[in-house]
Amino acid sequence: MAEPGLTLDDLLDARRIRRLAGSTSFERGEDYAQDGRVRNIRSADAATRATVSGTRDYRVKLWVDDGELAYACSCPVGTEGDFCKHCVATALVWTARHRDGDIAMMPSEQLHRHLRELPADELAAILLEEAENNEALYQRLMLRAARTQPQIDPRVWRQAIDDAVNTGDFVRYGETSDFASGIADVIKALHGLVADGHATAVIDLAEHGIEAVEDAIERVDDSDGEVTGVLRRFEELHLAACSQARPDPKELARRLYEWETTSDWDVFSGAAADYADVLGEIGMAEYRRLALEDWSRVPAIGPDEDDAEKWESSFRISAVMETLERLSGDLDALIAVKSRDLSAPNRFLDIARLYAEAMRNEESLAWAERGWNAFPETRRDPRLREFLADAYHDRGRGAEAVALMWQGFQAAPALGTYKSLKEHGERAGSWPVYREQALQLVRTRIAATPSQRTASLPYWASSPPFSDHSVLVEIFLMEDDAESAWDEARSGGCSRRLWLELADRRRGSNPLDAIRIYRDEVALRVEQTSSRGYQEALAFLRRIAGLLDGLGQWEEFQQYVAALRGEYRRKRNFIKMIDEEGWQRRG
């Protein structure tokens, strides 16, 4: 609950900052702070602002809002509302300097009044001087100036795109956000050109930008998809410019079609739908002509022809044809396109669903059954099984539906297939019988499988199938029978993930059982000797503390912590984190 009257000094310390940011962002922000990347840190009007340098400069603001820490950063992570590494760096530098009395306070209105009183030439000189050392500011000023010209110079804007997309040798993961933001700034300025009436020029510039990003993306660690997102923003810019400029529809259709069918990055995917209004009848006719010409060379692929090379050569044109036929509203034409490739069960399922949506139910069932019978059990799609079972239920053929799901459970006894069997068994009124058969089948598989210890597996990993009682534990937990799940885990073991779920289920009724499991997890996490492992161990320690405190056994918890400090005394970072919790100081 928020407390009134709190200040930044009350809310900012290393432990709170780490909790807000998480270990990864905290460590990166700590590096930024130590490397001197935080500049121009200042406090005014009860808020602290700073500039943090990465590949580009970001603006950070920290303040107190209704007794809670509030924060903002202009980076992509910060604009999503997260306490990013730039916020961490600012908070750490502010904390250190504020403690030493090195941060001056000046009300913002004084600064505003001073700037308003400066002569225009002097203010311009200050901006230019700052821009000489700030590439992002220089680019923003240059683009603003370029927009004011009566006739825009495409060379200036192409150069701005090229400068923003220039990767150097390689853009590493930690630099990708900054890199993508620089390109996004140029795109934003180009949208301004469209608003200013220069849409025709922007069409070419957007296409130039797409080509540049497609070429650069191989030299970027785009694990989070930020540069791919920039590519989509260039596409949005292109559509906005075309919608205003209305270029020659035939020529536009040819360029869009070429891109859609050759791009390795799905550029202009579904262009016929997105640009239908811009292309009009003439452009759409040209798009269809180009597509039909290529489509005539696409071979049919049947269930016994799982040919990756054929699929690779035809999937783009198939997607184009599907888009065109969806736009035409001709279901039979769309089915004809989709039935050209029947190499996988999901292709039959797609067709069955289309017929079902059109209330052509008999054709839907026929395609579902055809797809089901076309493949061996090892290649059948569970989604097609579900669709077919639902269709049988709708026709009063519940026994056939449940028999179909029982076959699936026999082939792969697991929680997912058990849930499906339960759903359809209940609909058909035969679940009690099938439930007993399903549990007996799992026990038979367990009895036939050598047991295997799984304590060394990551907590999220599943045990090897039937090497312990994990499947039974999952089933009983799903049925909210926690006691039976506990009994199965005790008698035959289960995965660490399930032990943790059992502990969480038993915290209220059997806290000592939960504590024993949490203690094992503390030891396993600490042995990882990593910041993340220590953080996870600390989270389990907090759970243990709460449970023992509730049992009136706080002294036992302190003894446990003291034992941990002795056992792991060489793991100094972990010991420091324990000490920051203050558990040992509590009486």
Side-chain angles (χ1 to χ4, degrees), residues 10-246:
D10 299 315
L11 296 175
L12 286 181
D13 59 57
R15 186 173 66 182
R16 288 175 186 256
I17 296 168
R18 182 185 286 272
R19 285 180 181 173
L20 270 173
S23 297
T24 302
S25 290
F26 181 85
E27 289 167 6
R28 289 178 178 168
E30 197 172 33
D31 290 341
Y32 271 37
Q34 293 171 356
D35 291 346
R37 292 175 179 253
V38 180
R39 299 183 290 107
N40 302 329
I41 189 165
R42 58 211 180 274
S43 292
D45 305 328
T48 289
R49 293 173 173 82
T51 301
V52 183
S53 301
T55 305
R56 56 187 290 109
D57 286 347
Y58 292 113
R59 300 178 301 280
V60 176
K61 178 183 176 183
L62 307 175
W63 72 102
V64 179
D65 183 13
D66 195 22
E68 299 282 355
L69 177 64
Y71 47 87
C73 178
S74 60
C75 79
V77 176
T79 53
E80 292 294 323
D82 293 333
F83 199 82
C84 63
K85 62 188 176 184
H86 310 106
C87 289
V88 171
T90 301
L92 292 175
V93 171
W94 183 89
T95 301
R97 292 190 184 179
H98 183 71
R99 183 179 59 241
D100 297 336
D102 287 344
I103 294 182
M105 301 287 291
M106 174 184 284
S108 58
E109 63 268 16
Q110 292 184 19
L111 177 61
H112 291 165
R113 184 168 60 251
H114 171 70
L115 292 174
R116 285 196 301 268
E117 292 172 353
L118 287 176
D121 288 346
E122 187 175 347
L123 192 58
I126 293 172
L127 267 176
L128 288 172
E129 182 180 356
E130 179 63 23
E132 288 295 324
N133 301 309
N134 186 325
E135 182 64 31
L137 176 60
Y138 179 85
Q139 186 179 70
R140 286 199 300 272
L141 292 175
M142 184 272 293
L143 293 179
R144 287 174 67 92
R147 278 186 63 184
T148 64
Q149 303 306 307
Q151 297 294 325
I152 68 166
D153 185 346
R155 294 172 300 176
V156 172
W157 292 90
R158 283 175 178 264
Q159 187 62 54
I161 293 169
D162 292 341
D163 289 344
V165 178
N166 182 9
T167 60
D169 292 333
F170 189 79
V171 178
R172 297 186 297 274
Y173 176 77
E175 303 168 334
T176 303
S177 289
D178 294 348
F179 176 73
S181 292
I183 304 172
D185 283 346
V186 178
I187 295 173
K188 183 178 179 180
L190 289 167
H191 273 291
L193 283 187
V194 175
D196 293 344
H198 301 294
T200 299
V202 173
I203 293 173
D204 291 335
L205 292 169
E207 292 181 6
H208 177 75
I210 290 169
E211 289 176 347
V213 174
E214 280 194 303
D215 178 63
I217 201 167
E218 295 285 359
R219 299 186 296 279
V220 180
D221 183 345
D222 193 35
S223 300
D224 292 338
E226 293 181 81
V227 181
T228 306
V230 165
L231 202 53
R232 303 299 164 243
R233 292 181 67 175
F234 262 124
E235 292 180 59
E236 293 167 3
L237 171 69
H238 186 271
L239 177 56
C242 288
S243 297
Q244 186 177 115
R246 299 285 168 169

Side-chain angles (χ1 to χ4, degrees), residues 258-295:
E258 175 70 16
W259 235 312
E260 183 175 9
T261 54
T262 61
S263 170
D264 290 333
W265 300 99
D266 294 329
V267 170
F268 294 120
S269 177
D274 295 334
Y275 285 78
D277 179 61
V278 179
L279 291 169
E281 291 185 12
I282 294 174
M284 290 296 288
E286 179 67 6
Y287 217 95
R288 178 175 284 275
R289 184 191 69 77
L290 293 167
L292 287 172
E293 185 176 315
D294 287 339
W295 183 243

Side-chain angles (χ1 to χ4, degrees), residues 450-494:
S451 62
Q452 180 174 333
R453 292 180 59 83
T454 58
S456 61
L457 287 173
Y459 79 95
W460 42 263
S462 298
S463 308
F466 311 111
S467 62
D468 59 21
H469 287 212
S470 288
V471 175
L472 289 170
V473 173
E474 285 185 310
I475 286 172
F476 288 128
L477 285 174
M478 184 271 291
E479 294 180 338
D480 287 326
D481 186 355
E483 285 303 316
S484 293
W486 179 254
D487 291 341
E488 293 295 342
R490 291 284 302 278
S491 65
C494 64

Side-chain angles (χ1 to χ4, degrees), residues 348-421:
F348 289 87
L349 177 59
D350 288 346
I351 292 172
R353 284 174 172 166
L354 287 170
Y355 276 127
E357 290 168 6
M359 303 301 290
R360 292 165 63 171
N361 294 324
E362 294 312 308
E363 290 163 292
S364 173
L365 177 60
W367 272 93
E369 290 182 322
R370 180 180 166 188
W372 186 252
N373 294 321
F375 298 91
E377 181 64 46
T378 54
R379 289 192 62 196
R380 285 173 171 167
D381 190 327
R383 296 170 300 174
L384 184 54
R385 189 194 305 273
E386 288 280 353
F387 183 91
L388 193 51
D390 284 336
Y392 286 155
H393 278 297
D394 291 342
R395 290 161 175 77
R397 297 160 61 181
E400 291 176 75
V402 182
L404 197 63
M405 305 315 293
W406 174 245
Q407 291 172 10
F409 184 78
Q410 286 179 303
L415 180 62
T417 52
Y418 184 87
K419 286 180 178 178
S420 295
L421 178 62

